[in-house]
Amino acid sequence: MDLDAFERARSADWARLDALVRQRRRTGAEADELVRLYQAVATDLSSVRSAAPDPEMVTRLSMLVGRARAAIAGTHEPSWRDVTAFVMVALPAALYRIRWWTVGVMAAFLVLSITAGVWVATQPEALASMGTPSQREQYVEESFAEYYAPGAGFAAMVWTNNAWLTAVCIATGITGIGPVYFQASNAINVGATGGMMASYGELDVFLQLIAPHGLLELTAVFVAGAAGLRIFWTWIDPGPRTRGRALAEEARALFTVAIGLVGVLAVSGLVEGFVTGSALPWVVKVSIGVLVLAAFWTYTLVLGRRAVRAGHTGDLEADRAGYVLATAG
């Protein structure tokens, strides 16, 4: 293909399409012309790519075709309505659909954590694995409480770290291994630390410092594990949908959970940064932890049930996710 000759022959249509795309308003005839030229230039792009893939021309025509497609189909501009729909419909629907998975992960976490704690508290060899006597004493008497130094910097550090870990837990869900490892290692670490504190008679300090923020923070961890395992189970048993379609739909819906957990963990981080290590009475601090946890479950169960009954799943709307053909079954 002679690219120069091809460009001379087709440049008038390209220029006209560019002019139509730039117009803010079009008549009916101009709209029809826009569609016709879009199809023609898309064919030109395909010809150039297959016969003479000149990088400069391919890039120029690709951009023109993309702008024309947007002008024809319209573009979606984010608005506060989208934010409201996400918070009030998509996120609670996604959380509600995995509520029993969340409870299951929580139960397994607690069993493993309590087992690890009892083992460390009652078995000398297990306690010895936590460090030398001097190291353990320093941790119990100083380091554990000092970790929760109040402040915005500490809250931000906790938030970003936990948000990253929960996102990884969901992202590796399809393997089945990532969420299990993440949950098991967390459960053992929390339980072993509690067991060590108990062996020195400081279990009450452990619970007082963990409960204010930990009730919501650990729930976010359980939700992340539930979302990851749900993706894995969808891969194992996609139901009447094709495996690819099922994975796409569930992954999009549960990515909604990953975004939502950023907000949940922000609340937990604020509690950890400004309440846990504060001088407030421990009853007040624990009450705050119970309150934010109750708010989370109320949000999930009330708004989530309503959204699911209305047919929402947390996935994108069909016009944004891509239309699919109906399947039997």
Side-chain angles (χ1 to χ4, degrees):
M1 175 186 288
D2 186 335
L3 286 179
D4 292 334
F6 182 76
E7 183 173 3
R8 285 194 297 271
R10 302 294 303 142
S11 60
D13 282 351
W14 299 349
R16 177 57 180 164
L17 178 60
D18 181 64
L20 288 171
V21 168
R22 293 177 184 275
Q23 288 183 208
R24 296 181 62 86
R25 296 180 182 276
R26 306 175 192 88
T27 64
E30 287 174 335
D32 291 339
E33 184 183 10
L34 173 65
V35 173
R36 180 183 62 78
L37 288 175
Y38 162 71
Q39 295 171 334
V41 176
T43 301
D44 293 344
L45 173 60
S46 178
S47 298
V48 171
R49 278 176 169 166
S50 59
D54 177 68
E56 183 179 352
M57 185 173 292
V58 167
T59 300
R60 181 153 55 94
L61 291 180
S62 295
M63 294 177 64
L64 179 57
V65 168
R67 289 166 49 225
R69 185 188 301 114
I72 294 170
T75 57
H76 174 70
E77 296 183 3
S79 65
W80 283 112
R81 182 179 300 175
D82 296 313
V83 176
T84 301
F86 176 83
V87 173
M88 303 301 291
V89 178
L91 178 57
L95 291 171
Y96 185 80
R97 291 178 60 235
I98 59 171
R99 65 194 184 283
W100 292 117
W101 287 82
T102 301
V103 172
V105 171
M106 177 181 67
F109 186 101
L110 291 176
V111 168
L112 185 56
S113 183
I114 292 171
T115 300
V118 171
W119 182 258
V120 170
T122 59
Q123 302 298 318
E125 63 274 16
L127 181 61
S129 68
M130 300 293 290
T132 64
S134 61
Q135 289 174 332
R136 297 196 302 266
E137 289 177 6
Q138 182 182 16
Y139 183 83
V140 170
E141 296 174 2
E142 300 176 15
S143 300
F144 184 75
E146 289 176 354
Y147 173 76
Y148 298 103
F154 176 68
M157 179 194 70
V158 169
W159 173 40
T160 53
N161 179 66
N162 289 338
W164 167 252
L165 292 176
T166 52
V168 169
C169 183
I170 297 174
T172 59
I174 195 170
T175 66
I177 299 173
V180 172
Y181 173 79
F182 179 75
Q183 299 295 322
S185 60
N186 270 281
I188 293 172
N189 288 336
V190 170
T193 301
M196 182 174 66
M197 297 288 288
S199 69
Y200 284 86
E202 298 290 347
L203 182 60
D204 58 334
V205 175
F206 173 79
L207 295 176
Q208 290 171 25
L209 288 173
I210 286 291
H213 67 277
L215 293 173
L216 184 61
E217 183 181 286
L218 288 176
T219 298
V221 170
F222 304 151
V223 170
L229 291 173
R230 175 65 180 262
I231 294 175
F232 173 70
W233 185 251
T234 299
W235 178 68
I236 298 295
D237 181 17
R241 301 169 293 182
T242 63
R243 181 167 281 105
R245 175 183 167 186
L247 282 173
E249 292 175 350
E250 292 299 330
R252 286 194 302 264
L254 296 174
F255 184 70
T256 298
V257 173
I259 297 174
L261 288 181
V262 174
V264 174
L265 289 167
V267 175
S268 173
L270 289 174
V271 174
E272 188 169 1
F274 295 98
V275 176
T276 298
S278 71
L280 291 171
W282 70 267
V283 174
V284 175
K285 291 191 286 188
V286 174
S287 296
I288 291 173
V290 172
L291 181 63
V292 294
L293 178 63
F296 169 82
W297 278 112
T298 300
Y299 170 81
T300 297
L301 297 178
V302 175
L303 296 185
R305 182 186 294 111
R306 182 188 306 165
V308 169
R309 286 179 176 176
H312 298 282
T313 64
D315 191 7
L316 296 173
E317 296 175 2
D319 61 338
R320 299 181 199 177
Y323 296 98
V324 295
L325 296 174
T327 57

